[in-house]
Amino acid sequence: MPSVMLSAVLEEEPDLYEAFPPHVDPSGITILTDSPPGKKAPLKTFEELQPILQQGRKRELKLLIRENSWPINSPIRASLWPALCRQHQHGKSMLDGFYWDMVTQVFGTVELPDKPIMLPPFVEATHCLGYHLTRKGRAVADRVVSVLGYACPDITYSPSLYPITAALLHFMPEEECYHCMASLVASKEKMFITQTKLLNEVTWKTVMQIAKKHAKSAAQHLSRLSGAIGPERIYADWQWWILAALPFPHLVRVLDCFFHEGIKVFYRVALAILILFHKHSTNQNSEWYAEATKNGVDHAVDKFCRNMPASPTKLLRTAFSIRALSSQYISRVFIKTEMTLKSKQVITGSRLVRSRSSDNLPTSQSQVNIQMMSHTLTIRELFTLWSWLPVRITMYQPVLLYTTEEHGCSLTTFYVRVEHHEPTLLMIKTCNNEVFGAYCSTRWFERNQKDERGNRQAYFGTGETFLFSLYPERAKYPWVGCSIGADGKGEERVSHASELFMAADSKMITIGGGEGQAIWMDENIRFGKTDRCSTFNNPPLCPSGDFEIRVLEVYGFSGA
């Protein structure tokens, strides 16, 4: 590009030293220009993107973000990145000043300490990529990550959390960075940041699986070059190809898309890196083939990323032109991989599964979601309840389907929002502050099923259904058939009265039957009764037997 033309391009952009906050040192940041002016349509401004974002036109916004290669010193990201992160926020938005209240609670002051901040245990030293932050900027990143660790105590391992925090701080103040990270950590619909060792392992195994299908030649090439160490060792570092090795302008363009679309962008970019590496290292006379054979393919891929021969636009174009790689397919591979790993841990009795911070406990995403939504559950009660769920269900994220606080007190609304979900978790908080409920194994739509004679079935459900009480007593009441059937003769010995799991119609809901009903609620979801029943052999779940409902919450499980 002629120097006159280049200077004209740069003159249109803000001065490099004015484009970043004061905690960024821009002296090492390189500005890349993908193409001469006039070749493409003018880059979109935030004012042009904002109405598209506000109107929820996600596909249109996705394509625009992919197509607009804003230079590294464009002012757009100071507005665009927070707006993109906010759209993933779930539940109540954080009030102004919330972050600084947390900082004061954790550190006793809002002044940055002189001594290094002790980072949470989920951060390792190798994760602490600061990019172009100054010494003060790194201290700010440390503080944001520490407050996140305090707010989300169940994050046990999260390699990408610190680098993404540091990247955000290049374009926004500290408080806004925290709000962005909190939204990404607690995101319900999309995954952004893994928070356990197990899920981190699931991600690289997912990349390996989708590469075998959607970048087949590149994956085979990598496998051949990996030799004795095997491809698994190479794929285990996949996030560092992007977060640690790509030049900063490339990373920032990847993050433009990531903050809107989620971790699937990282998967696609990882495959694009493999495809480009394959293209540049197939020839045995190439420097990259020589690097791989001399120093190992892991070093070669890392060095290739650091010297990325493709522009940010070409890298993204390669990533997004991989055909037939749908989000649904990625999600299926991810879930299957996660289930396989969890099954192995359960079978081998791995201590990880049984630990207090283990992966069969609710993730911080679940905890933050429930804290934001629930009027009945404390985190301690959540842990208790989680330990009672069937193991396979703990793999899924809880989703609040219905709450009287938001959706009103109507059985009709309850059915509309809940009836097609299976399983569901009912939580009742009474006006006397008792908290109890039931895990219901079968969808409530079954109340409409008819028998061979055309008559509606009175009761439905399975023996996986159970009752529980959280306050004032803490207890689980499983189906009586679980203990009766221990000798293998349970089917013959369980009476009909002990198989009355769930019943419902337009006037009421019942859980448990035979000599009494464990939980009964009226059509207005206002009053209820509880008694001992044959199905669960439970005591009444509240002392008086009759109760007035303060809050009813019903949870489903996303993906179950």
Side-chain angles (χ1 to χ4, degrees):
M1 181 186 292
S3 58
V4 176
M5 193 177 291
L6 179 59
S7 63
V9 171
L10 296 182
E11 281 174 8
E12 293 174 9
E13 296 296 336
D15 180 82
L16 189 58
Y17 284 82
E18 295 176 0
F20 297 100
H23 53 247
V24 174
D25 175 11
S27 60
I29 298 177
T30 307
I31 301 175
L32 299 180
T33 50
D34 273 343
S35 59
K39 195 171 181 181
K40 291 182 180 177
L43 294 170
K44 296 288 184 186
T45 64
F46 180 68
E47 287 68 28
E48 291 173 300
L49 295 180
Q50 193 172 22
I52 298 169
L53 184 61
Q54 289 171 340
Q55 293 162 23
R57 290 144 59 187
K58 293 186 178 181
R59 177 172 170 75
E60 185 179 347
L61 184 64
K62 174 179 76 174
L63 297 175
L64 285 170
I65 294 172
R66 290 180 181 183
E67 291 163 5
N68 279 260
S69 194
W70 297 286
I72 192 77
N73 60 334
S74 169
I76 191 172
R77 292 183 182 90
S79 303
L80 180 61
W81 280 13
L84 292 176
C85 293
R86 266 196 307 274
Q87 68 181 340
H88 309 298
Q89 184 178 283
H90 188 70
K92 305 163 191 170
S93 60
M94 289 182 216
L95 300 172
D96 288 341
F98 171 83
Y99 172 66
W100 295 112
D101 288 344
M102 291 280 285
V103 168
T104 305
Q105 194 174 341
V106 176
F107 297 102
T109 176
V110 296
E111 298 296 320
L112 272 175
D114 296 328
K115 295 179 180 178
I117 291 171
M118 180 75 72
L119 289 168
F122 61 76
V123 179
E124 295 178 1
T126 53
H127 303 164
C128 296
L129 307 176
Y131 304 115
H132 302 282
L133 294 178
T134 63
R135 185 177 176 183
K136 180 183 176 183
R138 282 177 169 265
V140 169
D142 290 353
R143 183 158 70 177
V144 171
V145 170
S146 295
V147 174
L148 266 169
Y150 181 83
C152 306
D154 64 307
I155 301 178
T156 56
Y157 185 75
S158 187
S160 66
L161 194 146
Y162 193 103
I164 293 171
T165 301
L168 284 165
L169 283 170
H170 284 67
F171 300 97
M172 64 189 69
E174 180 176 353
E175 183 177 19
E176 198 151 45
C177 171
Y178 176 82
H179 286 213
C180 287
M181 289 302 295
S183 296
L184 298 180
V185 165
S187 171
K188 189 172 78 163
E189 292 184 7
K190 290 186 174 74
M191 176 180 283
F192 290 88
I193 296 168
T194 56
Q195 296 162 45
T196 65
K197 278 195 172 180
L198 181 133
L199 285 185
N200 183 64
E201 185 175 351
V202 172
T203 60
W204 70 255
K205 290 193 170 178
T206 298
V207 172
M208 188 166 66
Q209 288 300 316
I210 62 178
K212 287 177 182 176
K213 182 174 180 181
H214 291 277
K216 192 173 180 180
S217 299
Q220 290 172 343
H221 179 62
L222 190 77
S223 186
R224 283 193 297 270
L225 289 176
S226 67
I229 65 171
E232 288 83 2
R233 172 67 188 82
I234 317 299
Y235 284 106
D237 284 338
W238 78 282
Q239 286 193 81
W240 302 119
W241 305 344
I242 301 165
L243 293 169
L246 279 182
F248 194 62
H250 288 72
L251 170 62
V252 168
R253 278 294 293 130
V254 171
L255 290 175
D256 287 340
C257 303
F258 169 81
F259 290 133
H260 183 53
E261 300 179 56
I263 201 170
K264 73 168 189 180
V265 171
F266 281 7
Y267 292 145
R268 281 186 169 273
V269 170
L271 264 59
I273 288 168
L274 289 180
I275 290 166
L276 291 168
F277 178 76
H278 177 225
K279 179 182 175 183
H280 285 82
S281 63
T282 304
N283 188 327
Q284 295 191 5
N285 296 320
S286 73
E287 62 171 307
W288 301 113
Y289 184 87
E291 181 72 30
T293 51
K294 181 183 176 183
N295 296 317
V297 68
D298 50 344
H299 292 287
V301 171
D302 181 82
K303 190 174 178 181
F304 177 79
C305 292
R306 293 180 191 278
N307 298 274
M308 177 54 62
S311 68
T313 296
K314 184 175 180 183
L315 176 65
L316 288 179
R317 197 168 286 154
T318 305
F320 293 122
S321 62
I322 298 169
R323 301 183 66 179
L325 181 55
S326 67
S327 299
Q328 290 81 4
Y329 169 75
I330 293 173
S331 181
R332 282 200 306 272
V333 173
F334 186 94
I335 290 169
K336 185 176 179 182
T337 306
E338 184 184 9
M339 289 178 70
T340 302
L341 286 176
K342 283 199 170 187
S343 298
K344 284 179 182 175
Q345 289 183 348
V346 170
I347 291 166
T348 57
S350 165
R351 290 180 62 191
L352 179 65
V353 168
R354 313 212 182 279
S355 118
R356 281 292 297 168
S357 60
S358 72
D359 300 296
N360 69 333
L361 292 177
T363 63
S364 64
Q365 177 175 327
S366 305
Q367 284 196 42
V368 172
N369 287 349
I370 289 176
Q371 278 183 297
M372 298 284 261
M373 297 181 296
S374 179
H375 291 261
T376 63
L377 277 176
T378 65
I379 289 302
R380 188 179 172 195
E381 289 168 344
L382 171 61
F383 279 134
T384 300
L385 193 50
W386 211 258
S387 70
W388 292 338
L389 295 176
V391 172
R392 72 179 192 285
I393 299 302
T394 63
M395 299 177 189
Y396 302 108
Q397 297 296 323
V399 181
L400 184 61
L401 303 173
Y402 171 85
T403 170
T404 50
E405 293 283 294
E406 185 179 338
H407 305 117
C409 299
S410 162
L411 209 46
T412 304
T413 308
F414 171 93
Y415 290 137
V416 168
R417 298 192 62 85
V418 168
E419 65 180 7
H420 290 293
H421 291 265
E422 180 181 302
T424 53
L425 195 62
L426 271 66
M427 304 284 305
I428 297 167
K429 186 172 188 176
T430 73
C431 291
N432 291 328
N433 291 323
E434 295 118 345
V435 179
F436 55 85
Y439 172 84
C440 303
S441 62
T442 305
R443 58 187 188 145
W444 288 97
F445 185 76
E446 295 291 318
R447 74 188 189 284
N448 297 317
Q449 298 295 91
K450 296 180 179 178
D451 60 21
E452 296 172 356
R453 299 179 182 178
N455 299 318
R456 280 193 178 184
Q457 300 182 63
Y459 279 86
F460 50 92
T462 71
E464 204 171 50
T465 302
F466 64 83
L467 304 174
F468 59 86
S469 172
L470 291 173
Y471 186 82
E473 298 295 325
R474 189 167 296 194
K476 175 186 177 182
Y477 304 102
W479 174 47
V480 293
C482 293
S483 56
I484 294 173
D487 60 0
K489 300 177 183 177
E491 291 301 319
E492 301 165 15
R493 297 175 59 183
V494 175
S495 68
H496 173 68
S498 299
E499 293 185 321
L500 306 177
F501 301 108
M502 302 159 62
D505 58 27
S506 61
K507 299 292 182 184
M508 63 85 202
I509 279 178
T510 295
I511 301 166
E515 300 180 34
Q517 296 163 319
I519 297 175
W520 178 93
M521 289 184 288
D522 70 358
E523 61 187 305
N524 298 314
I525 310 184
R526 186 177 173 191
F527 295 106
K529 294 180 179 181
T530 174
D531 202 350
R532 185 202 163 273
C533 76
S534 302
T535 308
F536 302 105
N537 194 28
N538 59 286
L541 299 174
C542 66
S544 65
D546 296 318
F547 57 88
E548 185 174 355
I549 298 168
R550 175 177 288 174
V551 184
L552 170 67
E553 294 174 350
V554 184
Y555 291 88
F557 297 87
S558 180

